[in-house]
Amino acid sequence: MLRNFLGLFFLTFVICCFILLMQLLWMRINDIVGKGVEIWVLLEFLFYAVLSVVPMALPLAILLASLMTFGNLGERFELTAMKSAGISLFRIMRPLTVFIALVCVSAFFFSNNILPKTQVKFWTLVFSLRQKSPELDIPAGEFYTGINGYNIYVRKKDTRTGLLRDLMIYDYSNGFQNASVTVADSGRVCTTADQKYLQLTLYQGESFENLSQEQQRATRSAQNVPYRREMFRRKTLLIEFDTEFTRYDESVLNDQHVSKNMASLLHSIDSVGVLADEKSRQQSDDLYKQHYLGRDNQAPLVYPDEDTVYAALNIDSLYAIFTPTDQQRALQYAIDEARRYKDIVQYNSILLDDYQRYIRKHEIELHRKFTLAFACLIFFFIGVPLGAIIRKGGLGAPIVISVALFIVYYIIDNAGYKMAREALWPVWQGMWLSSFVLLPLGIFLTYKAATDSALFNPEVWIREAEKITNKLKKLYKQNG
């Protein structure tokens, strides 16, 4: 059993990693294509990307492998023969259960010790690739926007000599209000020796530049010209264009939740929780000292050397003494004070929300380390009974069922994650939602498979439907 399962497990795990890796590469295609980076950088990116998709590939591979293993046994009637010999389903599952338990423990240690380091290196590399200037390749007949602050249009391009024909350059690096336009009959493009700048040599052209307000005021007395025009036979432009690959410092992600193990997450949650409680207590004390919630309604009767004694004032009586003008002024003052306190409360809420959001992110990451291992166990106890009941091996039916179940799991898990992230649910409820939904399904399917229930036999469902239909007809005749 273990030998049959291991072969299928490693095969399906590689396939799932490849599919998820292709999805990840498609999402990050703009960060890596056309950057001209060395091959070792791309290999490093692929290595960290593969490790990043393991948490999603592992449960899917277990589900698919268990479905295929027991589906093959059922299709070849080997499962029926073992049950006829008095071997129960749980005894057949015993070696695989021990192996899956070890996989679950390994998955937790992977999420706790390896995945945080992988995430730091992966996202550091992604940020570095994003800042890398694209490889220079100006196309003909369309605007090239690969240089920050510039749009370059070339009508024709001589690939043999490298000469560009009919150039138009829009320079808005200093803002759209200070944009300049340069047109030239021809030109050449190359990078400087230090690979820090792009050198454009233009021939037979002219440039137009909007004058700033200071320049317009300086030239208004002589000639009121809102722009400057320059004609040239040869002109050289230097544009900042760093083609070197500069790697970000990994320390910028040290305080992010993805870079921490369980001990660091618990420490961060406790530390920030103490700060949040202290900030909330301080805000409450400040509001109380500012006579919030009607403390102005009480006036002191006894002063020094004794505890201050307060007596309630009758607001209605005081308000009735005022003239209509003073009453209107008092109401306006009360409205302004209420708005001011409302602004204070909203501002304090925003400050506290930063702490709470930080804590929720860390709590989500903490629960995620356990939900991965538990998902592997749940999918095993869903895949084994499904394979034993359906009795279909190969790659056809198991793949369809596995993908459908995994999509359901992903939708539920993503919904719970968003509920926890937005503080609509407690974090533990949102992160364990998918487990709470699929665990009863696994228990139900395991019970049905152990009792040899014909759960997916259409004849059984037809007979049950006929029984229900006959009962409804009898009830209809009796009440008719």
Side-chain angles (χ1 to χ4, degrees), residues 48-121:
Y48 295 138
V50 170
L51 294 180
S52 299
V53 301
V54 167
M56 289 188 65
L58 191 59
L60 181 58
I62 291 175
L63 174 63
L64 186 56
S66 57
L67 256 172
M68 293 175 63
T69 300
F70 280 79
N72 290 332
L73 292 176
E75 192 174 22
R76 296 193 297 261
F77 298 101
E78 294 177 285
L79 193 60
T80 305
M82 285 187 283
K83 289 183 177 180
S84 301
I87 303 176
S88 65
L89 178 65
F90 294 105
R91 184 178 174 184
I92 299 173
M93 293 169 54
R94 188 181 301 167
L96 303 185
T97 305
V98 175
F99 173 75
I100 293 299
L102 295 176
V103 171
C104 293
V105 175
S106 302
F108 171 77
F109 281 101
F110 176 84
S111 298
N112 189 51
N113 300 323
I114 299 177
L115 191 59
K117 299 177 181 178
T118 301
Q119 290 291 294
V120 171
K121 294 184 177 296

Side-chain angles (χ1 to χ4, degrees), residues 258-326:
V258 296
S259 65
K260 298 179 181 180
N261 56 19
M262 188 173 67
S264 301
L265 289 171
L266 290 173
H267 177 74
S268 299
I269 292 171
D270 292 339
S271 301
V272 178
V274 171
L275 292 176
D277 293 339
E278 181 63 28
K279 190 70 175 177
S280 178
R281 193 180 304 110
Q282 181 183 354
Q283 291 175 359
S284 301
D285 293 341
D286 291 341
L287 287 175
Y288 184 77
K289 291 176 182 178
Q290 292 175 6
H291 309 295
Y292 187 55
L293 293 177
R295 285 189 67 243
D296 284 352
N297 296 347
Q298 299 181 3
L301 298 180
V302 181
Y303 287 99
D305 300 330
E306 296 184 29
D307 293 334
T308 302
V309 179
Y310 288 88
L313 297 177
N314 192 329
I315 300 299
D316 294 334
S317 300
L318 290 176
Y319 182 73
I321 298 174
F322 292 162
T323 63
T325 303
D326 292 336

Side-chain angles (χ1 to χ4, degrees), residues 134-342:
E135 191 175 22
L136 184 64
D137 185 17
I138 301 177
E142 61 182 86
F143 280 96
Y144 177 72
T145 59
I147 305 174
N148 291 330
Y150 292 87
N151 280 347
I152 301 177
Y153 178 83
V154 176
R155 187 177 298 275
K156 295 181 182 179
K157 183 177 179 181
D158 191 339
T159 56
R160 185 176 60 85
T161 61
L163 189 66
L164 307 178
R165 298 286 185 180
D166 296 334
L167 286 88
M168 183 180 297
I169 302 172
Y170 289 88
D171 179 7
Y172 52 91
S173 57
N174 295 325
F176 288 98
Q177 298 299 328
N178 301 317
S180 64
V181 181
T182 302
V183 293
D185 292 340
S186 60
R188 297 182 183 276
V189 181
C190 63
T191 55
T192 57
D194 58 359
Q195 302 293 318
K196 297 293 184 181
Y197 295 92
L198 190 68
Q199 180 176 320
L200 280 80
T201 305
L202 306 177
Y203 306 99
Q204 298 296 330
E206 54 184 336
S207 63
F208 305 87
E209 179 182 1
N210 290 333
L211 295 179
S212 62
Q213 295 181 356
E214 292 78 6
Q215 292 173 327
Q216 292 183 29
R217 284 194 295 268
T219 59
R220 188 170 297 169
S221 58
Q223 186 179 4
N224 190 8
V225 180
Y227 63 90
R228 178 187 293 118
R229 179 182 180 185
E230 176 188 0
M231 302 183 67
F232 58 85
R233 289 188 176 182
R234 186 177 186 274
K235 183 177 183 179
T236 301
L237 298 178
L238 283 179
I239 300 175
E240 187 174 354
F241 190 77
D242 191 358
T243 59
E244 295 294 326
F245 176 70
T246 304
R247 189 182 294 268
Y248 267 56
D249 188 4
E250 296 181 0
S251 60
V252 298
L253 296 176
N254 285 342
D255 195 41
Q256 297 297 319
H257 57 282
V258 296
S259 65
K260 298 179 181 180
N261 56 19
M262 188 173 67
S264 301
L265 289 171
L266 290 173
H267 177 74
S268 299
I269 292 171
D270 292 339
S271 301
V272 178
V274 171
L275 292 176
D277 293 339
E278 181 63 28
K279 190 70 175 177
S280 178
R281 193 180 304 110
Q282 181 183 354
Q283 291 175 359
S284 301
D285 293 341
D286 291 341
L287 287 175
Y288 184 77
K289 291 176 182 178
Q290 292 175 6
H291 309 295
Y292 187 55
L293 293 177
R295 285 189 67 243
D296 284 352
N297 296 347
Q298 299 181 3
L301 298 180
V302 181
Y303 287 99
D305 300 330
E306 296 184 29
D307 293 334
T308 302
V309 179
Y310 288 88
L313 297 177
N314 192 329
I315 300 299
D316 294 334
S317 300
L318 290 176
Y319 182 73
I321 298 174
F322 292 162
T323 63
T325 303
D326 292 336
Q327 289 179 354
Q328 187 67 26
R329 188 181 300 117
L331 290 176
Q332 186 61 42
Y333 175 78
I335 292 173
D336 294 339
E337 285 294 300
R339 288 174 178 170
R340 185 171 69 87
Y341 284 124
K342 178 184 177 182

Side-chain angles (χ1 to χ4, degrees), residues 16-26 45-46 49-50 53:
C16 293
C17 285
F18 176 77
I19 295 174
L20 294 174
L21 178 61
M22 292 299 102
Q23 180 192 16
L24 181 62
L25 291 178
W26 180 257
F45 178 84
L46 292 176
V50 170
V53 301

